[in-house]
Amino acid sequence: MRTMISNLPRDLIEEIISRVPLKFMKAVRLTCKTWNNLSKSEFLRKRITREGETMMIAIRNHNLYLMRVVVDGVDPSIELKGKLNCIVVDDVDHSMEGQLSFLNDEVNITEVLHFEGLLLFILRDVTRIMVWNPYWGQTVWIKLRYSHLPRGIDRFSYALGYEDKKSCRKNKLLRFIDYFFKEPENQFFWYEIYDFDCGLWTTLDVTPHWCIYCCSHGVSLKGNTYWCAAKRSSECYTNHIICFDFTRERFGPLLPLPALEVRDHEDGNWTLSCVKEEKLVALFQPYYAYELEIWITIKINVEMVSWSKFLRMDTGPRINVPHTFFIDEEKKVYMDFNEDYDSDSDSDIRKQSINIIGEAGYLKKMDTGVPEDQYGRQRDCSYVPNLVQISKPLQGKRIKESRLEKRRFNQNRSRLATIEKLLKKDRDW
């Protein structure tokens, strides 16, 4: 007697699905209704991200590589799961027939940002960006209202978040630019938000009392995004964080970073990360010292934060802290990606590795098995599958932009062009 798929025990089906590579999840969902429903369950997501494992995505040469890092005592291991394929239909240019291979030189990526299981691709073609959910294989294209590349660099910052409704999550995108100089007449800021449900951009009524540097990457936590920030003054010393609340579409107050124990705490860098989508992590490294200090939140929301010291380490030889880092809270371990030139070769080949540092000091430097990036640009992030599909505007329901919004947009565009002409003339930017 044959056993039908529908007759298999639930725990066996969950075990089977949890072992399927992400690129084959679409086939799993098409197998039967039961498997499709199980693929959306929160319980399955927890099985996919097993205890003691950290899932990471590395971006090299326009390819995405998925890895599992297991920290087991003094014997950590890395398993390279392979490439994540992103084959998408272009929702913007309908003249393109069939499918478009996104991760190649035809569509050039300048930056990839991770927000709670969603990847945001910033393209060299600055007329649009793309959001991708690797678990579902779902992509959404967003057309930008204003293309902006002074000196070939996108000066806007981006963040993904959501308004958490009872029945669903309403996805939103924040895009902003903030030129802050000592002269008040040269200050310019422009904050706008994109609503995935209606497909419209809206200019936010924001008067920042903070300063977020354009190179600072936001960290997503429970639908909101946090940045390292400073009070808006001539010094702009970074000793705070600030949160954008996507539900209320506004920024909260400046919140304090931890009180440091390291020497020369005003002369160093802060970097943010998160752990298990539940806590925010702050890392500080002095410019001229071989030590790291890492703090983790006890409680955090838009308007308050409390910190607990996680690790303080003497790293021996100084390590360069990248834009992203990772921690294993249970094992008291810090991890980051690193690249070194091959000392046994005369070429400029950079070898990719992961630094794994524990409370007692240096543990291990491990080869990731990921090829070097010929463009010299590493893009790495932790990854937890997001089982919620990205919302899209309803077909046939098109909402027009209001006259007020058109006027605000034209005023900001004109003001930005004027400011940049002054900055270019004075060579102060």
Side-chain angles (χ1 to χ4, degrees), residues 127-174:
T127 63
R128 56 184 179 160
I129 57 178
M130 195 194 80
V131 181
W132 181 40
N133 186 334
Y135 181 81
W136 289 108
Q138 183 189 16
T139 59
V140 175
W141 291 86
I142 300 174
K143 185 176 181 179
L144 302 177
R145 295 196 292 180
Y146 180 57
S147 299
H148 183 69
L149 273 182
R151 294 191 176 182
I153 300 173
D154 188 353
R155 301 285 294 188
F156 275 87
S157 297
Y158 300 83
L160 279 173
Y162 58 84
E163 177 183 342
D164 200 357
K165 295 182 176 182
K166 292 182 179 180
S167 58
C168 62
R169 290 182 178 181
K170 185 177 181 180
N171 298 112
K172 298 178 182 179
L173 169 74
L174 176 69

Side-chain angles (χ1 to χ4, degrees), residues 90-280:
D90 194 328
D91 291 337
V92 176
D93 187 354
H94 296 286
S95 65
M96 300 181 67
E97 298 181 356
Q99 293 183 320
L100 170 68
S101 179
F102 184 74
L103 297 178
N104 60 20
D105 291 331
E106 295 178 26
V107 181
N108 207 320
I109 304 167
T110 61
E111 193 168 15
V112 180
L113 305 175
H114 175 256
F115 297 93
E116 297 188 57
L118 302 181
L119 298 181
L120 174 62
F121 293 87
I122 311 301
L123 311 179
R124 192 174 300 280
D125 170 17
V126 293
T127 63
R128 56 184 179 160
I129 57 178
M130 195 194 80
V131 181
W132 181 40
N133 186 334
Y135 181 81
W136 289 108
Q138 183 189 16
T139 59
V140 175
W141 291 86
I142 300 174
K143 185 176 181 179
L144 302 177
R145 295 196 292 180
Y146 180 57
S147 299
H148 183 69
L149 273 182
R151 294 191 176 182
I153 300 173
D154 188 353
R155 301 285 294 188
F156 275 87
S157 297
Y158 300 83
L160 279 173
Y162 58 84
E163 177 183 342
D164 200 357
K165 295 182 176 182
K166 292 182 179 180
S167 58
C168 62
R169 290 182 178 181
K170 185 177 181 180
N171 298 112
K172 298 178 182 179
L173 169 74
L174 176 69
R175 184 179 190 237
F176 66 90
I177 187 171
D178 191 338
Y179 284 134
F180 175 69
F181 300 93
K182 296 180 181 179
E183 300 81 5
E185 64 274 10
N186 284 343
Q187 293 189 33
F188 173 81
F189 43 87
W190 182 1
Y191 290 77
E192 58 180 0
I193 195 163
Y194 177 82
D195 190 318
F196 284 67
D197 283 357
C198 64
L200 285 182
W201 288 94
T202 303
T203 301
L204 298 180
D205 185 10
V206 172
T207 303
H209 58 274
W210 61 86
C211 181
I212 300 173
Y213 294 103
C214 63
C215 60
S216 177
H217 291 168
V219 174
S220 186
L221 186 67
K222 297 180 180 180
N224 297 326
T225 302
Y226 295 81
W227 290 267
C228 289
K231 292 182 179 179
R232 204 173 187 88
S233 66
S234 58
E235 295 180 358
C236 273
Y237 164 56
T238 301
N239 58 356
H240 292 82
I241 60 173
I242 195 167
C243 174
F244 182 77
D245 183 339
F246 277 90
T247 298
R248 293 182 286 179
E249 297 187 355
R250 68 175 182 84
F251 283 87
L254 285 168
L255 304 175
L257 280 164
L260 293 169
E261 299 178 7
V262 299
R263 301 181 303 275
D264 301 324
H265 64 275
E266 294 186 6
D267 196 11
N269 279 328
W270 282 100
T271 309
L272 296 180
S273 184
C274 65
V275 56
K276 294 184 178 179
E277 299 181 333
E278 297 174 354
K279 301 176 183 179
L280 199 67

